[in-house]
Amino acid sequence: MTSQTRLTTPFSADATGGASGLGAETVRALASAGAEGTVATRRPVTAEPLAREIAVVPGAGHVRIAALDLADLHSVDVFVRNWQGPLDVLVANAGVMALPTRTLSADGWEMQLAVNFLGHYALAEALRPALRAAGTARLVVVSSGAHRTVPFDFDDPHFTRRPYDPWTAYGQSKTADVLLAVGAAHRWAEDGITANALAPGYILTDLQRHLDRDTLRSFGVVHDQDGLTTPAYFKTPAQGAATSVLLAASPMVRGVTGRYFENNEEARPIRAGEGEVAAHALDPEAAGRLWTLARSTVTAH
């Protein structure tokens, strides 16, 4: 990464807190290597400490802050209109997990699907000219292992008829994230743009803010005194961000596209119960259908 590399990392107050967790560690790593960065967050004030921290790191790239609410397509429009110049890397990092009750965005999408997928789709599609202008740009989409058991339900994606379940909704949105990368890889290859998805692993961040105490206890993150603790099998935010940084900046994955990664390596397709990535998430036909669905919503908006 050179001082001319431009990075934009979307955040949401309902994800990593804007200036903490996985997203902040991704920004730290890339900016410390000289990348110019834009931290896009619903509440810009939350990213100011991170920007000040990076500003005093010798050789670090400049980090700016911009407002972006991925649940609001108008906010996405404003962000894109204010974007200037080429874009080398777009890291679609923001997310919301396991909302306890069914909530809809202004556009009528189930909120996890709206934030985790639709907002990122709209942002990436609108920034495609800037990515194309960079010559060899990369789209990095943060998904989750939660995709493995939940194919995308094209008949009822917003839980209009089926009972709402927080984890099913989250898993579906993360399947959609992988399909976003698969769709972009197919459509944008001629522009020199690569697109890959990843699972960061278990990390204790603000992403768990909607989980009740019993659920947190089942994950092993609540100790006997009812306070939070980090289990041994959890990663630190820096460790969790490593795969995002690899896909954003490493020459080792130059030209690699349409794949899914875990633990800094390409994941194995699940066969006979073994592997890390489900076939339904890499299905090009499903990616095409989802792309069409998202495009119709954005166009109508």
Side-chain angles (χ1 to χ4, degrees):
M1 303 287 281
T2 71
S3 60
Q4 297 304 305
T5 298
R6 296 156 292 273
L7 162 74
T8 185
T9 304
F11 290 89
S12 164
D14 290 324
T16 58
S20 63
L22 182 67
E25 292 297 341
T26 303
V27 172
R28 282 191 182 96
L30 294 171
S32 297
E36 298 175 7
T38 299
V39 178
T41 173
R42 191 173 67 164
R43 294 189 298 151
V45 67
T46 64
E48 291 176 359
L50 176 63
R52 290 194 296 267
E53 172 195 324
I54 293 172
V56 299
V57 175
H62 175 67
V63 173
R64 64 183 289 268
I65 304 167
L68 175 65
D69 182 352
L70 289 165
D72 180 355
L73 293 181
H74 174 70
S75 175
V76 176
D77 291 342
V78 172
F79 178 89
V80 173
R81 285 200 300 270
N82 290 329
W83 184 266
Q84 296 180 355
L87 175 61
D88 295 288
V89 182
L90 173 60
V91 182
N93 173 84
V96 61
M97 182 174 74
L99 290 176
T101 59
R102 179 176 179 265
T103 306
L104 301 181
S105 71
D107 295 285
W109 282 53
E110 188 279 317
M111 188 61 76
Q112 292 179 82
L113 191 57
V115 173
N116 299 351
F117 166 72
L118 182 63
H120 284 135
Y121 164 84
L123 181 66
E125 182 80 317
L127 286 174
R128 181 179 176 182
L131 292 163
R132 182 192 302 121
T136 56
R138 302 182 184 189
L139 170 63
V140 179
V141 185
V142 179
S143 180
S144 165
H147 84 274
R148 286 191 271 262
T149 59
V150 190
F152 193 88
D153 189 334
F154 286 97
D155 294 325
D156 190 19
H158 308 299
F159 297 85
T160 303
R161 296 181 300 277
R162 55 180 169 150
Y164 174 77
D165 178 77
W167 290 108
T168 300
Y170 179 66
Q172 175 181 249
S173 74
K174 289 305 174 179
T175 289
D177 280 339
V178 185
L179 293 172
L180 171 60
V182 172
H186 174 71
R187 287 163 176 77
W188 297 353
E190 63 185 26
D191 294 332
I193 303 168
T194 59
N196 294 287
L198 69 110
Y202 290 98
I203 307 156
L204 191 59
T205 69
D206 284 349
L207 186 63
Q208 292 88 18
R209 63 185 296 177
H210 297 292
L211 304 186
D212 59 33
R213 219 60 175 174
D214 288 341
T215 302
L216 290 172
R217 189 172 286 107
S218 71
F219 285 134
V221 299
V222 176
H223 56 58
D224 292 341
Q225 286 71 43
D226 223 28
L228 294 182
T229 185
T230 303
Y233 72 94
F234 271 49
K235 296 179 180 179
T236 66
Q239 290 169 334
T243 307
S244 293
V245 175
L246 171 82
L247 292 174
S250 175
M252 295 173 60
V253 292
R254 184 179 293 120
V256 175
T257 191
R259 313 290 177 83
Y260 175 90
F261 283 71
E262 284 190 3
N263 298 318
N264 293 319
E265 60 184 12
E266 185 178 346
R268 298 170 299 145
I270 295 175
R271 296 189 180 93
E274 299 291 332
E276 298 84 27
V277 58
H280 62 248
L282 297 176
D283 181 4
E285 180 180 352
R289 290 183 66 188
L290 186 57
W291 201 274
T292 299
L293 175 63
R295 176 175 291 171
S296 65
T297 300
V298 171
T299 301
H301 165 80

